[in-house]
Structure formats: C-alpha cells, structure tokens
Amino acid sequence: MGGADAGGVPEAGSAARLAAPQGIPASGIEPSVAEQPNGTQKNPLGLDVSGWQQNVDWNSVRNRGARFAYIKSSEGPWALNDYFGQQYKGAANAGLIRGSYHFARPNLSSGASQAQVMLSSGGGWSADGKTMPPALDIEDNPYDDGTGKCYGLSPAQMASWVNDFVTTISRNTNKAAVIYTGYYFWQDCLGGTTRFAQTNPLWIAAYYASSPWMPGGWPQHTIWQYADGYADAGQTRTATFPGDQNVFNGTMDQLRKLAGAPNNTSVGPVGAVGLIPGATLISGKWAGDGKSYIGWYKDSFWCLQMPAAERKCFYFGSPGDKPVVGDWDGDGTDSIGIVRNGSWQLTNSVNSLTVDIVQNYGVGSDSPIVGDWNGDGKTTIGIFRSGSWQLTNSQSGGPGVDVVSNYGIPSDTPLIGDWNGDGKDTFGVWRSGIFWLSDNAQSPVVKYVFPYGVPTDRPTVGDWDGNGKSTVGIVRGNGWQMTNNLGTLTVDSVRQ
C-alpha cells in the first residue's frame, strides 16, 4: 500500500517498506516467492490492490487461494483509483469477501472529511455478507512535501485525526473501521496511543517476521500484511497474488462474521472484549426483551451486551462526554445519550443514533442521573451534586426542578432503580462496598442497607431477570456479578 495510483502522482510504496520491516528476520536470504508465515497456512489468505494493479484477473486470484481482498478507493481529499469499479465488483463476482481502504493524508484535510471522501467513493459497508469493514491506511508520508514522516502533526494531533476518521466511518456505516499501520509509524507518529486497541481491528504490516510486533496496546492483529507487492515494482521475486499479500488471523467462519456482522459486533479476534480500563459502567433494557444488560462507555465508544453473547458497539458523542441510558420515548426499550458541560443530547434509537432530544440541565461538574420519577413510562433527567439530588419530569429544552432531595454524602456513588417495582425510580448510593437504597424520591429514607462486594468493586444496577424490579451487582476486573433479589443477595448471574 502507499501513495497515489494511476491518474495521480506516482505511488511511493508500502507501509512496511517505508517504516522498515518489523519483527526478527526469518533469514538473511530473500525468498523467491511470497511464502506464508509459519503457522498461518490454514488461515484465509488475501490481498490488497490499488490502481497500480489495473484490471485484476479475480478468478485466477481465487483459484490460487485468495478469500478476501482490500481495494483502494481514495486518498486524502480525492477519489483516487481509476480501476476501483473493476477491482471491487470483480472481486465480489469471483466470490471473494472484499472491502475498500483509504490512504490517509492527514496534512491536507480533516479525518472526518477524508472519511466522507471514502464513503462517497464507494468505500462504505453493507450487510451483504461479502463486504469487509472500511479500512484506514495510515503510514509514513511517502511524499517529499516538507512535512516529514508524520505529516507535520504531533502524536496528539495525529491521534485526534484518526479518531475523527474512524468515528465518521462508524456513524455512517455502523462498523468499526480497520486500521492499517506499521509498528514504528504508530509508535513514532501516534506516540504509541492505545485509544483504538479495544475498538478498531488492527491490520499490521510486518515483513520477513516470524510474528508481527503489536503497537498501541492491541493484544493481537486481525489481518497481517506479510509481504509487499514487489512483483509490480520490477523486482525479481514473484508474489502469489497481485499487490500485497495478507492473511486473516482467524477461521473462514470468523472472516465471514467480520464481514456480515452489523453494528461492530465483536467476533473472533476482532473488537472489544470485557471491560476496558477507565471505562464507565452502564446497564439498560436496550435489547427490547424487558431485561437489563451490561455495557461500557469510553471516549465516545459504546459497547452494549446483547442476548446470545453478542455485543452492539458504536460511536456516539465525543471523548470527555458522560454517558446516560434511558427510555426517552416510553416505547419500553432503552436508548442512550451524552452529557457535555450541562448539555444533554439524547437519541431514541441505538440504531439510527440521531439526536432526538436536547436539554440543558446542571453544570459540567455534576453527576448526571436519569429515571422515571413520576411513573409515566418515560425517563427524564436529573443531577447529583454534593449529596443533593435535583430532578425534572420534563423533556423540554429548559426543564425546571421538580424534585430536590438530600440523600448521601458528596463522595457517594449515586444509583437509580425501581427497588419495589411500582414503576417509579428512586435513589440509592454506594459507599465503601455497601448499598444504601431508598423507596421514595420526594422524601428519601433508607429502606435497604446491605454489603454486596468489597470497597474496591464498582456498583451496577439493573432488572436482570425482567420482573420489573431493579436489583444490584458489582464489577470486579472484567467480571460482573449480579443478584436478582435484594432479600437473598445471592450471586444469580456472572458475566464477562
């Protein structure tokens, strides 16, 4: 992979050539063919091509063993591959799972605008079972434009640019973009940031290595580009496929699931597993079956547990926002929202992710709380400030304060739940491993006091069995332990 295709300025080369090979050389002798790395012979093989490969004989490519392909759709602010149509459609017609990639030029325009260029160039995603997630190719600057290897950007600026790109892709396709890069580029130009390791699959470039080094906190790669497109560079070696040589880190079934699973569902070696460090715990009835499920939020990325061990993961909001979960329209299914410096932006659907309600309530230092305070079936908002609870029953733009109560102390963790099943949410707090719960939001008094977990745990609340009553749970490391009964306090479910 590399710079511009036919029709633009000359392509400069691949990420691994530019960034230097990663890993320990398998030997000092270059092979005469692009042999697969040891231990990967049973994994699906693939290739990536650009305009330099022109009209590809895709039937021949499949007959030689390829099962997936990435095709360049765009570069910087341009659609830049005169052969994109033949390559993209031809790969699909030959039975390959194929997707597109965008070559980043971070010094020319924003990440969001370049993501839109990719989408308008045909590089999106559809749930047809044969389309790979869109991929971002971010590597050494191949152009002599005076900006250097890192395009003249600091690691923080580069990380922000990548975030803008992948967030825009996710919002428009409901898929997490694959990130293609090299070890040294990521360490040098993005400062080794780990912010994408739990949200975006890694496509690593590493040649002549027994195994690739992992940058940026990724525990493993999803795709490994193990050899370049040297046959097209006039060298003496030959390649199995046109363009660069790749292998998928999983089975063919996992590859199909990566292509076919909507909403960034975690599959095989891809996606977020468990609770990542620094994430905010969330729970809600977003599956529509009357039961609460667990989830987490961090830096605008949401990951919601669903039935049958599936996860629905997506971007909404911006890093630094505070997440909230509620049934804003009263349809019986929870959705989400964010709070930013006292401004609330709420959506009625985790599928459309449009902002349906905007309210201003509280200040940035408040802890946002939500609940159905009057029992009308709709969740409204409130804030917890130094032991004081201020609630509204309105969903208008400038809601008033309908309830003011004092309960707990400033260092408590506020909790909301319908402990008695009367359809109205009330208060609770967590303090040093002990739950203190009240049944009355207007005049709160302590109804339940009990230890559950230890002080270093984190508390969670939900209606885990769907009986209409909220109960509690704790999170310890990546493990969630919940009870269905505030009287017995047994551990009724354990989840990862």
Side-chain angles (χ1 to χ4, degrees), residues 179-200:
I179 295 177
Y180 168 95
T181 196
Y183 177 86
Y184 292 111
F185 176 83
W186 195 266
Q187 298 303 105
D188 294 344
C189 296
L190 285 99
T193 180
T194 61
R195 67 188 295 183
F196 305 100
Q198 294 288 342
T199 56
N200 296 87

PDB file of all heavy atoms in Angstrom, residues 179-200:
ATOM      1  N   ILE A 179      -7.856  -0.482  11.087  1.00  0.00           N
ATOM      2  CA  ILE A 179      -6.717   0.432  10.985  1.00  0.00           C
ATOM      3  C   ILE A 179      -5.502  -0.336  10.491  1.00  0.00           C
ATOM      4  O   ILE A 179      -5.062  -1.301  11.125  1.00  0.00           O
ATOM      5  CB  ILE A 179      -6.408   1.103  12.329  1.00  0.00           C
ATOM      6  CG1 ILE A 179      -7.578   2.011  12.748  1.00  0.00           C
ATOM      7  CG2 ILE A 179      -5.114   1.911  12.245  1.00  0.00           C
ATOM      8  CD1 ILE A 179      -7.388   2.668  14.099  1.00  0.00           C
ATOM      9  N   TYR A 180      -4.958   0.077   9.326  1.00  0.00           N
ATOM     10  CA  TYR A 180      -3.733  -0.489   8.757  1.00  0.00           C
ATOM     11  C   TYR A 180      -2.570   0.421   9.109  1.00  0.00           C
ATOM     12  O   TYR A 180      -2.624   1.644   8.875  1.00  0.00           O
ATOM     13  CB  TYR A 180      -3.869  -0.611   7.238  1.00  0.00           C
ATOM     14  CG  TYR A 180      -2.566  -0.911   6.519  1.00  0.00           C
ATOM     15  CD1 TYR A 180      -2.221  -2.218   6.196  1.00  0.00           C
ATOM     16  CD2 TYR A 180      -1.694   0.113   6.156  1.00  0.00           C
ATOM     17  CE1 TYR A 180      -1.032  -2.493   5.526  1.00  0.00           C
ATOM     18  CE2 TYR A 180      -0.509  -0.151   5.489  1.00  0.00           C
ATOM     19  CZ  TYR A 180      -0.181  -1.461   5.178  1.00  0.00           C
ATOM     20  OH  TYR A 180       0.989  -1.731   4.521  1.00  0.00           O
ATOM     21  N   THR A 181      -1.507  -0.150   9.656  1.00  0.00           N
ATOM     22  CA  THR A 181      -0.353   0.652  10.004  1.00  0.00           C
ATOM     23  C   THR A 181       0.865  -0.238  10.187  1.00  0.00           C
ATOM     24  O   THR A 181       0.777  -1.466  10.075  1.00  0.00           O
ATOM     25  CB  THR A 181      -0.625   1.471  11.296  1.00  0.00           C
ATOM     26  OG1 THR A 181       0.339   2.500  11.431  1.00  0.00           O
ATOM     27  CG2 THR A 181      -0.623   0.580  12.530  1.00  0.00           C
ATOM     28  N   GLY A 182       2.014   0.376  10.469  1.00  0.00           N
ATOM     29  CA  GLY A 182       3.239  -0.327  10.824  1.00  0.00           C
ATOM     30  C   GLY A 182       3.625  -0.008  12.260  1.00  0.00           C
ATOM     31  O   GLY A 182       3.250   1.042  12.806  1.00  0.00           O
ATOM     32  N   TYR A 183       4.362  -0.903  12.870  1.00  0.00           N
ATOM     33  CA  TYR A 183       4.721  -0.757  14.283  1.00  0.00           C
ATOM     34  C   TYR A 183       5.426   0.570  14.554  1.00  0.00           C
ATOM     35  O   TYR A 183       5.039   1.331  15.446  1.00  0.00           O
ATOM     36  CB  TYR A 183       5.615  -1.920  14.717  1.00  0.00           C
ATOM     37  CG  TYR A 183       6.096  -1.810  16.141  1.00  0.00           C
ATOM     38  CD1 TYR A 183       5.322  -2.283  17.187  1.00  0.00           C
ATOM     39  CD2 TYR A 183       7.333  -1.220  16.430  1.00  0.00           C
ATOM     40  CE1 TYR A 183       5.764  -2.181  18.497  1.00  0.00           C
ATOM     41  CE2 TYR A 183       7.782  -1.107  17.738  1.00  0.00           C
ATOM     42  CZ  TYR A 183       6.988  -1.594  18.767  1.00  0.00           C
ATOM     43  OH  TYR A 183       7.421  -1.478  20.055  1.00  0.00           O
ATOM     44  N   TYR A 184       6.471   0.882  13.792  1.00  0.00           N
ATOM     45  CA  TYR A 184       7.274   2.060  14.082  1.00  0.00           C
ATOM     46  C   TYR A 184       6.524   3.358  13.786  1.00  0.00           C
ATOM     47  O   TYR A 184       6.672   4.347  14.494  1.00  0.00           O
ATOM     48  CB  TYR A 184       8.594   1.999  13.318  1.00  0.00           C
ATOM     49  CG  TYR A 184       9.499   0.901  13.815  1.00  0.00           C
ATOM     50  CD1 TYR A 184       9.761  -0.213  13.023  1.00  0.00           C
ATOM     51  CD2 TYR A 184      10.061   0.957  15.077  1.00  0.00           C
ATOM     52  CE1 TYR A 184      10.579  -1.232  13.476  1.00  0.00           C
ATOM     53  CE2 TYR A 184      10.880  -0.052  15.545  1.00  0.00           C
ATOM     54  CZ  TYR A 184      11.132  -1.155  14.740  1.00  0.00           C
ATOM     55  OH  TYR A 184      11.924  -2.166  15.207  1.00  0.00           O
ATOM     56  N   PHE A 185       5.713   3.351  12.744  1.00  0.00           N
ATOM     57  CA  PHE A 185       4.930   4.551  12.465  1.00  0.00           C
ATOM     58  C   PHE A 185       3.994   4.844  13.630  1.00  0.00           C
ATOM     59  O   PHE A 185       3.877   5.990  14.081  1.00  0.00           O
ATOM     60  CB  PHE A 185       4.123   4.389  11.176  1.00  0.00           C
ATOM     61  CG  PHE A 185       3.227   5.566  10.896  1.00  0.00           C
ATOM     62  CD1 PHE A 185       3.719   6.696  10.278  1.00  0.00           C
ATOM     63  CD2 PHE A 185       1.889   5.550  11.283  1.00  0.00           C
ATOM     64  CE1 PHE A 185       2.905   7.803  10.049  1.00  0.00           C
ATOM     65  CE2 PHE A 185       1.074   6.648  11.062  1.00  0.00           C
ATOM     66  CZ  PHE A 185       1.585   7.768  10.437  1.00  0.00           C
ATOM     67  N   TRP A 186       3.305   3.823  14.125  1.00  0.00           N
ATOM     68  CA  TRP A 186       2.340   4.035  15.202  1.00  0.00           C
ATOM     69  C   TRP A 186       3.054   4.512  16.475  1.00  0.00           C
ATOM     70  O   TRP A 186       2.574   5.428  17.151  1.00  0.00           O
ATOM     71  CB  TRP A 186       1.578   2.751  15.489  1.00  0.00           C
ATOM     72  CG  TRP A 186       0.344   2.986  16.316  1.00  0.00           C
ATOM     73  CD1 TRP A 186       0.228   2.896  17.672  1.00  0.00           C
ATOM     74  CD2 TRP A 186      -0.941   3.399  15.835  1.00  0.00           C
ATOM     75  NE1 TRP A 186      -1.042   3.200  18.077  1.00  0.00           N
ATOM     76  CE2 TRP A 186      -1.789   3.522  16.963  1.00  0.00           C
ATOM     77  CE3 TRP A 186      -1.462   3.654  14.572  1.00  0.00           C
ATOM     78  CZ2 TRP A 186      -3.122   3.890  16.857  1.00  0.00           C
ATOM     79  CZ3 TRP A 186      -2.800   4.022  14.470  1.00  0.00           C
ATOM     80  CH2 TRP A 186      -3.608   4.141  15.598  1.00  0.00           C
ATOM     81  N   GLN A 187       4.194   3.918  16.759  1.00  0.00           N
ATOM     82  CA  GLN A 187       4.911   4.323  17.961  1.00  0.00           C
ATOM     83  C   GLN A 187       5.469   5.737  17.829  1.00  0.00           C
ATOM     84  O   GLN A 187       5.412   6.533  18.765  1.00  0.00           O
ATOM     85  CB  GLN A 187       6.041   3.341  18.252  1.00  0.00           C
ATOM     86  CG  GLN A 187       5.573   1.908  18.526  1.00  0.00           C
ATOM     87  CD  GLN A 187       4.587   1.805  19.668  1.00  0.00           C
ATOM     88  OE1 GLN A 187       3.393   1.618  19.468  1.00  0.00           O
ATOM     89  NE2 GLN A 187       5.078   1.940  20.878  1.00  0.00           N
ATOM     90  N   ASP A 188       5.999   6.073  16.645  1.00  0.00           N
ATOM     91  CA  ASP A 188       6.643   7.367  16.455  1.00  0.00           C
ATOM     92  C   ASP A 188       5.647   8.498  16.222  1.00  0.00           C
ATOM     93  O   ASP A 188       5.783   9.584  16.794  1.00  0.00           O
ATOM     94  CB  ASP A 188       7.614   7.309  15.278  1.00  0.00           C
ATOM     95  CG  ASP A 188       8.791   6.381  15.529  1.00  0.00           C
ATOM     96  OD1 ASP A 188       9.020   6.020  16.707  1.00  0.00           O
ATOM     97  OD2 ASP A 188       9.458   5.999  14.550  1.00  0.00           O
ATOM     98  N   CYS A 189       4.664   8.265  15.365  1.00  0.00           N
ATOM     99  CA  CYS A 189       3.792   9.353  14.923  1.00  0.00           C
ATOM    100  C   CYS A 189       2.501   9.465  15.721  1.00  0.00           C
ATOM    101  O   CYS A 189       1.830  10.501  15.682  1.00  0.00           O
ATOM    102  CB  CYS A 189       3.474   9.194  13.437  1.00  0.00           C
ATOM    103  SG  CYS A 189       4.933   9.341  12.379  1.00  0.00           S
ATOM    104  N   LEU A 190       2.120   8.392  16.439  1.00  0.00           N
ATOM    105  CA  LEU A 190       0.944   8.470  17.309  1.00  0.00           C
ATOM    106  C   LEU A 190       1.311   8.257  18.773  1.00  0.00           C
ATOM    107  O   LEU A 190       0.430   8.105  19.621  1.00  0.00           O
ATOM    108  CB  LEU A 190      -0.125   7.469  16.884  1.00  0.00           C
ATOM    109  CG  LEU A 190      -0.898   7.877  15.617  1.00  0.00           C
ATOM    110  CD1 LEU A 190      -0.341   7.157  14.407  1.00  0.00           C
ATOM    111  CD2 LEU A 190      -2.376   7.661  15.753  1.00  0.00           C
ATOM    112  N   GLY A 191       2.603   8.232  19.050  1.00  0.00           N
ATOM    113  CA  GLY A 191       3.051   8.119  20.425  1.00  0.00           C
ATOM    114  C   GLY A 191       2.688   6.806  21.091  1.00  0.00           C
ATOM    115  O   GLY A 191       2.642   6.721  22.322  1.00  0.00           O
ATOM    116  N   GLY A 192       2.395   5.792  20.278  1.00  0.00           N
ATOM    117  CA  GLY A 192       2.015   4.506  20.843  1.00  0.00           C
ATOM    118  C   GLY A 192       0.646   4.504  21.498  1.00  0.00           C
ATOM    119  O   GLY A 192       0.351   3.625  22.315  1.00  0.00           O
ATOM    120  N   THR A 193      -0.223   5.470  21.168  1.00  0.00           N
ATOM    121  CA  THR A 193      -1.526   5.570  21.819  1.00  0.00           C
ATOM    122  C   THR A 193      -2.288   4.254  21.783  1.00  0.00           C
ATOM    123  O   THR A 193      -2.276   3.540  20.782  1.00  0.00           O
ATOM    124  CB  THR A 193      -2.381   6.676  21.179  1.00  0.00           C
ATOM    125  OG1 THR A 193      -3.661   6.733  21.849  1.00  0.00           O
ATOM    126  CG2 THR A 193      -2.628   6.424  19.702  1.00  0.00           C
ATOM    127  N   THR A 194      -2.968   3.951  22.886  1.00  0.00           N
ATOM    128  CA  THR A 194      -3.751   2.714  22.997  1.00  0.00           C
ATOM    129  C   THR A 194      -5.245   2.956  22.839  1.00  0.00           C
ATOM    130  O   THR A 194      -6.040   2.041  23.053  1.00  0.00           O
ATOM    131  CB  THR A 194      -3.491   2.047  24.358  1.00  0.00           C
ATOM    132  OG1 THR A 194      -3.903   2.935  25.414  1.00  0.00           O
ATOM    133  CG2 THR A 194      -2.019   1.714  24.538  1.00  0.00           C
ATOM    134  N   ARG A 195      -5.652   4.157  22.463  1.00  0.00           N
ATOM    135  CA  ARG A 195      -7.071   4.508  22.477  1.00  0.00           C
ATOM    136  C   ARG A 195      -7.899   3.743  21.459  1.00  0.00           C
ATOM    137  O   ARG A 195      -9.135   3.698  21.581  1.00  0.00           O
ATOM    138  CB  ARG A 195      -7.251   6.010  22.270  1.00  0.00           C
ATOM    139  CG  ARG A 195      -6.845   6.525  20.906  1.00  0.00           C
ATOM    140  CD  ARG A 195      -6.870   8.046  20.833  1.00  0.00           C
ATOM    141  NE  ARG A 195      -8.196   8.602  20.979  1.00  0.00           N
ATOM    142  CZ  ARG A 195      -8.460   9.909  20.897  1.00  0.00           C
ATOM    143  NH1 ARG A 195      -7.463  10.764  20.716  1.00  0.00           N
ATOM    144  NH2 ARG A 195      -9.692  10.353  21.016  1.00  0.00           N
ATOM    145  N   PHE A 196      -7.275   3.118  20.452  1.00  0.00           N
ATOM    146  CA  PHE A 196      -8.039   2.397  19.433  1.00  0.00           C
ATOM    147  C   PHE A 196      -7.941   0.874  19.581  1.00  0.00           C
ATOM    148  O   PHE A 196      -8.567   0.144  18.820  1.00  0.00           O
ATOM    149  CB  PHE A 196      -7.553   2.800  18.035  1.00  0.00           C
ATOM    150  CG  PHE A 196      -7.587   4.279  17.802  1.00  0.00           C
ATOM    151  CD1 PHE A 196      -6.427   5.042  17.901  1.00  0.00           C
ATOM    152  CD2 PHE A 196      -8.772   4.931  17.505  1.00  0.00           C
ATOM    153  CE1 PHE A 196      -6.443   6.411  17.713  1.00  0.00           C
ATOM    154  CE2 PHE A 196      -8.811   6.303  17.311  1.00  0.00           C
ATOM    155  CZ  PHE A 196      -7.645   7.047  17.414  1.00  0.00           C
ATOM    156  N   ALA A 197      -7.172   0.422  20.554  1.00  0.00           N
ATOM    157  CA  ALA A 197      -6.863  -1.010  20.644  1.00  0.00           C
ATOM    158  C   ALA A 197      -8.076  -1.865  20.966  1.00  0.00           C
ATOM    159  O   ALA A 197      -8.124  -3.036  20.601  1.00  0.00           O
ATOM    160  CB  ALA A 197      -5.767  -1.245  21.683  1.00  0.00           C
ATOM    161  N   GLN A 198      -9.061  -1.304  21.671  1.00  0.00           N
ATOM    162  CA  GLN A 198     -10.238  -2.079  22.039  1.00  0.00           C
ATOM    163  C   GLN A 198     -11.422  -1.818  21.123  1.00  0.00           C
ATOM    164  O   GLN A 198     -12.492  -2.423  21.305  1.00  0.00           O
ATOM    165  CB  GLN A 198     -10.639  -1.756  23.483  1.00  0.00           C
ATOM    166  CG  GLN A 198      -9.615  -2.195  24.518  1.00  0.00           C
ATOM    167  CD  GLN A 198      -9.567  -3.697  24.695  1.00  0.00           C
ATOM    168  OE1 GLN A 198     -10.488  -4.407  24.317  1.00  0.00           O
ATOM    169  NE2 GLN A 198      -8.493  -4.197  25.267  1.00  0.00           N
ATOM    170  N   THR A 199     -11.268  -0.936  20.154  1.00  0.00           N
ATOM    171  CA  THR A 199     -12.418  -0.563  19.335  1.00  0.00           C
ATOM    172  C   THR A 199     -12.245  -0.833  17.851  1.00  0.00           C
ATOM    173  O   THR A 199     -13.250  -1.020  17.151  1.00  0.00           O
ATOM    174  CB  THR A 199     -12.727   0.938  19.515  1.00  0.00           C
ATOM    175  OG1 THR A 199     -11.557   1.708  19.194  1.00  0.00           O
ATOM    176  CG2 THR A 199     -13.137   1.232  20.944  1.00  0.00           C
ATOM    177  N   ASN A 200     -11.023  -0.839  17.360  1.00  0.00           N
ATOM    178  CA  ASN A 200     -10.789  -0.959  15.922  1.00  0.00           C
ATOM    179  C   ASN A 200      -9.852  -2.122  15.624  1.00  0.00           C
ATOM    180  O   ASN A 200      -8.752  -2.192  16.186  1.00  0.00           O
ATOM    181  CB  ASN A 200     -10.209   0.338  15.357  1.00  0.00           C
ATOM    182  CG  ASN A 200     -11.165   1.496  15.488  1.00  0.00           C
ATOM    183  OD1 ASN A 200     -11.199   2.167  16.504  1.00  0.00           O
ATOM    184  ND2 ASN A 200     -11.964   1.725  14.454  1.00  0.00           N
TER     185      ASN A 200
END
